[in-house]
Amino acid sequence: MLTHLQISNFAIVEHLDLSWHQGLSTITGETGAGKSIAIDALLLCLGERADSQSIRAGHARAEVTASFDIQHHPIAKTWLQAHDLDIENECTLRRVILKQGTSRAYINGTKVPVQQLKQLAQYLVSVHGQHAHQALLKPEYQRDLLDASFESELPRQKTHDVYHCLQTLHKKHDALQQAREQRENKRQLAQYQVSELDEYAPIEGEFASIEQEHKILSHGQELRTQTHQLLNRLYDADQHAIFGQIQHVCAAIAEMSEVDEQLEKISTLLHEAMVNIEEASGDLRHYMNDIPVDPDKLYHLEQRLSQGIALARKHQVKPEDLSIRQQQLHQTLTALHQDDEQMQSLEQAIQNTQQDYLHAAQTLSQARQEAAGLLSARIQQSLAELCMPDCQFEIRVVCDEFQSPSPNGLDQIEFWVSTNPGQPAQPMGKVASGGELSRISLAIQVILAGRIACPTIIFDEVDVGISGPTASAVGQKLQQLGGSTQVICVTHLPQVACQGHAQYLVKKTTDGDATTSTMLYLDKAGRIAELARLLSGSQTSLKAIENAKELLTI
């Protein structure tokens, strides 16, 4: 709850230092005294737009500091801890406005973006201005009020979760769908390329082998001729062949070695040479006889090589890598087929999740219809206590299963009222006046106070347009609301002001050169005097004082 508010040089406030209490605190003062300035200053700390025009004349800056006790407010504590801004059970917001038009924001002494003030503010204070009850006319606000009355968050949370699951599936499906044409073109090209390579059927290492075999076949006759010539020179030309000449030399050396034994080693080497030449000649003869001459096979190899080179150029790879390219294309086709399977799987998942969503939304709608009956009865009873005894109040919940899914279900929720006997119920915005809307809003706030996470509620003259017994009833309702949460109410009605557990008076003074607004905490005597002023105007009578005392004892 709000515990302290300090204001410096804001509007017509020079300096203000106030402590606040649990329960209902009322703020009163003469018209134009600036009863709402403290609320406006607090709004700055809650992240509202800063305006350099709000700086007090003659000063370079304005500063507002608000302190909160969050000991029993785990949501705010969790938020602060998540942003590394927590300090035990306290929270201090500070806003500085500079003459240059800029502003600075602080949470627990740490400078932060203004947006973070707004994020945290929703967990600390709820402000209802003079026209805040107009929010009651918005369908989404009516829905949120009804949902706030639930005993369990489960139906709404389930619908919310399934909806977001459905949205995620739709996004994945849309992404695949958008790429479908491109994927189909890619699949067709890959299928054509795979068919082409499958028909060619490349084998790993085949190209080098084919090249070698083609080289031999294409030079077969030349190899045979050259081999025949070499055999003649090496062995077949009798004494003119190399073998015959070495044989002649070997015989001569053998005769000479009989005279000189030193030549025997040379004779041995020459004999070995003859053996090697004879063996090599035999191998060469076999090679010559085995040289293939097959024009048909040569043609086939030439066709295979030409086709491989052409395919390699087409696929921008080396001919020897065609088998690898073939495997890659098969993998691409497999992946593309898996995309098609994923699309089918997604479509089935979407269908299943849509059924889950419909079931969750129907369950939520049933819970809302049950809650609507209970809440309508409580609101109608509360309105009777607020001097609207003939008001008929009904919350209508219609589930439209044909509308697009939303995170809040499929319900159309609308508040219907009849404010006069015999008048048929109609949508609230068509028949309720501003004062009636204000009372309906207050009745709902009181009923839902225990379920509202915000620890401080501020009403800025929401009692405009009411008086007499209705004003007393409104004051009592505000006091009842103050029993479960901190309530701060700016009012001009004594019947409301007297219900406060604490009361503050706003006064405006001037010395002719400058105007200053101050706010004072009133003791009992001060409250009697202020209530008497509210009852009788500027001329306070003894009767007004007695009435004021009577109001405080009620």
Side-chain angles (χ1 to χ4, degrees):
M1 72 171 200
L2 178 66
T3 58
H4 200 83
L5 182 65
Q6 189 175 50
I7 306 171
S8 296
N9 302 318
F10 178 77
I12 59 174
V13 175
E14 183 176 12
H15 183 73
L16 192 61
D17 197 340
L18 289 173
S19 296
W20 298 85
H21 309 278
Q22 183 62 275
L24 172 63
S25 296
T26 57
I27 301 174
T28 60
E30 294 182 356
T31 302
K35 294 190 293 295
S36 296
I37 288 180
I39 307 304
D40 295 337
L42 178 60
L43 288 174
L44 275 177
C45 279
L46 302 178
E48 289 296 317
R49 183 176 178 273
D51 186 351
S52 61
Q53 297 298 316
S54 62
I55 300 175
R56 182 175 171 81
H59 294 269
R61 56 190 275 167
E63 185 171 333
V64 182
T65 303
S67 299
F68 297 84
D69 179 357
I70 58 171
Q71 182 177 359
H72 303 295
H73 193 37
I75 297 178
K77 292 177 71 173
T78 300
W79 188 95
L80 288 168
Q81 289 167 359
H83 293 81
D84 295 326
L85 296 169
D86 58 310
I87 301 178
E88 294 298 327
N89 297 317
E90 296 181 3
C91 176
T92 300
L93 310 183
R94 185 163 69 98
R95 190 82 179 273
V96 178
I97 311 170
L98 303 177
K99 199 69 175 179
Q100 297 87 339
T102 58
S103 72
R104 298 169 187 164
Y106 302 85
I107 299 178
N108 288 337
T110 301
K111 190 175 181 180
V112 297
V114 174
Q115 189 60 35
Q116 284 198 342
L117 284 183
K118 291 184 177 181
Q119 292 174 3
L120 176 58
Q122 62 184 324
Y123 306 123
L124 298 175
V125 179
S126 175
V127 180
H128 298 261
Q130 295 181 32
H131 305 290
H133 55 264
Q134 296 295 329
L136 268 178
L137 303 180
K138 297 179 181 180
E140 60 272 17
Y141 186 64
Q142 295 178 2
R143 179 199 64 227
D144 291 343
L145 288 175
L146 175 59
D147 289 352
S149 70
F150 281 8
E151 290 293 333
S152 171
E153 286 285 330
L154 187 59
R156 186 169 54 175
Q157 189 63 48
K158 177 67 174 177
T159 302
H160 182 275
D161 293 345
V162 177
Y163 168 80
H164 283 287
C165 179
L166 183 60
Q167 290 300 102
T168 300
L169 291 173
H170 274 302
K171 287 179 181 178
K172 290 181 179 178
H173 183 273
D174 290 345
L176 283 176
Q177 188 68 34
Q178 289 173 3
R180 191 168 197 167
E181 182 177 345
Q182 181 180 1
R183 190 170 64 254
E184 181 60 24
N185 292 338
K186 188 176 181 180
R187 188 192 65 78
Q188 290 179 0
L189 175 61
Q191 184 63 63
Y192 170 76
Q193 292 174 327
V194 163
S195 299
E196 195 174 43
L197 286 175
D198 284 351
E199 183 179 356
Y200 178 72
I203 301 172
E204 187 175 356
E206 172 195 29
F207 197 81
S209 175
I210 291 176
E211 276 190 316
Q212 181 62 30
E213 188 175 3
H214 176 269
K215 186 186 294 184
I216 293 173
L217 277 173
S218 61
H219 295 83
Q221 190 59 46
E222 181 183 347
L223 288 172
R224 183 182 287 272
T225 299
Q226 290 181 348
T227 303
H228 185 266
Q229 291 174 352
L230 291 173
L231 274 172
N232 279 334
R233 291 179 62 186
L234 189 63
Y235 192 83
D236 290 346
D238 298 332
Q239 68 272 18
H240 299 293
I242 293 173
F243 180 81
Q245 292 179 12
I246 293 177
Q247 189 179 36
H248 178 74
V249 171
C250 187
I253 293 294
E255 291 179 2
M256 293 170 65
S257 64
E258 291 178 359
V259 177
D260 189 348
E261 293 180 355
Q262 295 183 46
L263 295 174
E264 288 182 359
K265 183 178 180 181
I266 297 174
S267 177
T268 301
L269 290 173
L270 287 172
H271 273 94
E272 290 177 355
M274 287 174 60
V275 172
N276 288 332
I277 289 173
E278 187 173 19
E279 186 176 348
S281 298
D283 291 343
L284 192 58
R285 193 180 310 281
H286 286 302
Y287 169 76
M288 181 182 68
N289 293 332
D290 291 340
I291 291 175
V293 178
D294 189 344
D296 292 337
K297 188 171 185 181
L298 177 61
Y299 174 78
H300 172 74
L301 291 176
E302 286 177 345
Q303 292 297 312
R304 184 75 174 166
L305 284 173
S306 297
Q307 189 178 5
I309 292 171
L311 284 172
R313 186 181 299 113
K314 193 173 186 179
H315 290 272
Q316 298 182 342
V317 297
K318 295 178 181 179
E320 54 266 30
D321 293 334
L322 281 175
S323 61
I324 298 175
R325 177 59 177 161
Q326 182 188 30
Q327 295 172 12
Q328 291 173 341
L329 286 170
H330 273 290
Q331 292 171 356
T332 298
L333 270 181
T334 300
L336 290 171
H337 285 309
Q338 288 174 347
D339 284 346
D340 292 338
E341 293 172 0
Q342 184 181 6
M343 176 72 82
Q344 295 174 0
S345 177
L346 272 175
E347 289 171 350
Q348 184 61 50
I350 287 173
Q351 185 177 349
N352 294 339
T353 307
Q354 283 174 334
Q355 292 299 317
D356 292 342
Y357 174 81
L358 181 59
H359 176 72
Q362 289 171 338
T363 302
L364 174 60
S365 182
Q366 183 178 355
R368 280 174 171 159
Q369 290 170 13
E370 294 174 359
L374 296 173
L375 184 58
S376 296
R378 293 182 65 188
I379 292 174
Q380 186 165 314
Q381 179 183 352
S382 184
L383 289 174
E385 297 169 359
L386 288 170
C387 302
M388 295 177 67
D390 297 318
C391 181
Q392 300 296 314
F393 188 91
E394 178 186 0
I395 301 176
R396 296 190 179 184
V397 180
V398 178
C399 184
D400 182 2
E401 298 179 0
F402 297 99
Q403 71 167 316
S404 299
S406 83
N408 300 301
L410 300 172
D411 292 324
Q412 300 294 326
I413 298 170
E414 196 167 27
F415 290 3
W416 284 54
V417 297
S418 169
T419 56
N420 298 303
Q423 180 186 32
Q426 295 185 59
M428 188 167 55
K430 293 184 177 181
V431 295
S433 65
E436 290 168 337
L437 283 175
S438 181
R439 277 179 277 172
I440 293 172
S441 176
L442 179 58
I444 294 173
Q445 289 293 333
V446 172
I447 291 170
L448 298 181
R451 300 187 183 276
I452 296 174
C454 205
T456 300
I457 302 176
I458 296 176
F459 293 96
D460 189 3
E461 296 199 29
V462 293
D463 50 12
V464 171
I466 61 174
S467 60
T470 301
S472 296
V474 168
Q476 291 168 9
K477 281 295 179 186
L478 287 169
Q479 188 184 66
Q480 181 182 346
L481 181 59
S484 58
T485 188
Q486 184 185 43
V487 180
I488 300 172
C489 179
V490 177
T491 182
H492 65 285
L493 297 176
Q495 298 94 327
V496 174
C498 71
Q499 297 292 338
H501 300 98
Q503 185 173 342
Y504 298 83
L505 172 64
V506 177
K507 296 179 66 176
K508 183 170 66 175
T509 59
T510 180
D511 59 6
D513 295 323
T515 300
T516 301
S517 180
T518 59
M519 184 182 295
L520 305 172
Y521 174 78
L522 297 178
D523 57 15
K524 186 174 182 180
R527 293 191 70 178
I528 292 173
E530 173 60 8
L531 290 175
R533 184 194 66 79
L534 292 173
L535 287 167
S536 62
S538 58
Q539 298 296 324
T540 303
S541 65
L542 291 175
K543 185 176 181 181
I545 293 175
E546 291 301 317
N547 286 340
K549 292 179 179 179
E550 185 179 351
L551 284 175
L552 281 179
T553 59
I554 294 177

